[in-house]
Amino acid sequence: METTSNLMWPGALSDPSGRRQAKPRAAGITMVIDKGLGQHAFEDLLAAAGEYIDIIKFGFGTSPLYPVELLTRKIEWAKRSRITVIPGGTLLEAAVARDVVPAFFRQVLGFGFDGIEVSDGTIELPRDRRDELIRDAAALGLKVYTEYGKKIFGSRIDVQEFAETAERDFEAGAELVTVEARESGVGVGLFDEKGSCREQTLSEMLRIIPNRSRILWEAPQKEQQVALIKSIGPEVNLGNIPVHDVMALETMRRGLRSDTFELGGAFSDYVI
């Protein structure tokens, strides 16, 4: 019997695309939303799928609810797996609304987070204030991921406004701009009231976006992930992925699941 060090699947089976990048990836980023995993569940997630996760977001305002030791451990474990760890954008929105942004930044750095999400899904955030938050976070050495869109059910994407917002966010120092879809993926932004992709909106966005590798699309549902992989390619950046779907998403990126099986070996047709 072979030793485990000699066990390896053929490349044609482990990655039919032949294009999946190793970490740190410049494209094909997977952002996972953690809504409150405990110690053992989090360790199991990293052991099984850590190689396929690039960003973990502790969703909403959950970060202050953890026991301090558990929060710091989770952050340390994720960083050891070369995963960027960020608190949810709602927590920063709460800090803005309550005028405690400096304290927010101190605790983010103190706990060991290495990135933040700047969003205005719940509050109104003036453009100048958004720029200031992005610049201040970047100056502290944090990776900044911004978010476009409101969390209100029925909200839609203004394509031109999105393009202008993304351009200014990048100028201020953002690494990625995220298209809002909430954790449900229903009735918000790119997805309609049934969770289906608004194809016309997507086509308009792809026509106007100059650098797709810097856009991250929240897509918590499988069919949404399939639609974006087929429309943009396996190296599309996807976010708000449920923790139990990480491996399944990775198989779709590689053409190892029936939903995208026909893409295996033909991924070269897709360009980010």
Side-chain angles (χ1 to χ4, degrees):
M1 182 175 178
E2 293 190 63
T3 63
T4 56
S5 62
N6 295 323
L7 293 174
M8 182 177 295
W9 292 101
L13 294 181
S14 61
D15 182 11
S17 75
R19 286 184 55 185
R20 197 69 177 113
Q21 298 178 14
K23 293 199 291 188
R25 282 179 276 269
I29 291 169
T30 295
M31 183 270 277
V32 170
I33 183 169
D34 175 354
K35 296 189 282 187
L37 292 180
Q39 173 177 332
H40 299 301
F42 194 75
E43 287 183 300
D44 287 345
L45 170 67
L46 297 183
E51 188 59 32
Y52 314 122
I53 301 172
D54 303 279
I55 305 168
I56 290 181
K57 176 170 68 175
F58 294 167
F60 336 119
T62 55
S63 296
L65 305 184
Y66 285 100
V68 170
E69 290 187 2
L70 177 56
L71 180 61
T72 55
R73 285 175 186 167
K74 289 181 69 172
I75 294 170
E76 289 172 2
W77 293 331
K79 290 167 72 173
R80 288 175 190 167
S81 295
R82 296 172 298 163
I83 297 170
T84 298
V85 199
I86 64 175
T90 302
L91 188 60
L92 177 54
E93 292 185 43
V96 171
R98 290 159 179 80
D99 196 24
V100 291
V101 171
F104 167 83
F105 280 131
R106 283 196 300 272
Q107 294 309 311
V108 163
L109 294 171
F111 278 110
F113 287 104
D114 48 4
I116 66 162
E117 183 177 67
V118 176
S119 65
D120 58 1
T122 304
I123 65 172
E124 293 301 323
L125 190 64
R127 181 66 248 190
D128 289 346
R129 181 61 164 142
R130 184 180 177 102
D131 289 342
E132 181 183 27
L133 291 169
I134 296 170
R135 288 195 298 266
D136 288 351
L140 292 170
L142 296 166
K143 297 177 182 178
V144 183
Y145 308 105
T146 62
E147 190 170 74
Y148 171 87
K150 293 296 183 183
K151 297 183 182 296
I152 301 171
F153 186 85
S155 62
R156 302 285 291 268
I157 294 173
D158 181 315
V159 177
Q160 187 59 43
E161 181 184 69
F162 169 78
E164 293 170 359
T165 298
E167 181 178 3
R168 187 151 172 182
D169 285 354
F170 293 142
E171 289 176 354
E175 297 200 7
L176 293 174
V177 175
T178 301
V179 181
E180 171 71 70
R182 303 204 69 178
E183 76 280 6
S184 66
V186 175
V188 174
L190 186 63
F191 306 116
D192 65 20
E193 292 73 16
K194 295 182 179 180
S196 299
C197 183
R198 303 183 196 275
E199 297 292 344
Q200 182 175 350
T201 300
L202 177 60
S203 296
E204 292 175 2
M205 293 180 75
L206 295 181
R207 187 173 65 251
I208 202 170
I209 293 171
N211 190 343
R212 298 178 188 176
S213 66
R214 298 187 71 183
I215 305 300
L216 186 144
W217 310 79
E218 290 186 347
Q221 298 185 20
K222 187 195 81 167
E223 293 306 320
Q224 297 166 352
Q225 298 158 19
V226 172
L228 288 166
I229 289 172
K230 288 186 173 181
S231 296
I232 301 175
E235 293 180 348
V236 61
N237 302 321
L238 297 173
N240 273 14
I241 305 303
V243 294
H244 54 270
D245 286 344
V246 177
M247 295 284 273
L249 170 58
E250 190 65 25
T251 62
M252 290 193 292
R253 289 189 185 279
R254 299 177 184 226
L256 289 168
R257 187 167 175 170
S258 61
D259 306 271
T260 58
F261 191 81
E262 72 277 10
L263 301 180
F267 284 171
S268 58
D269 295 334
Y270 295 88
V271 179
I272 293 290

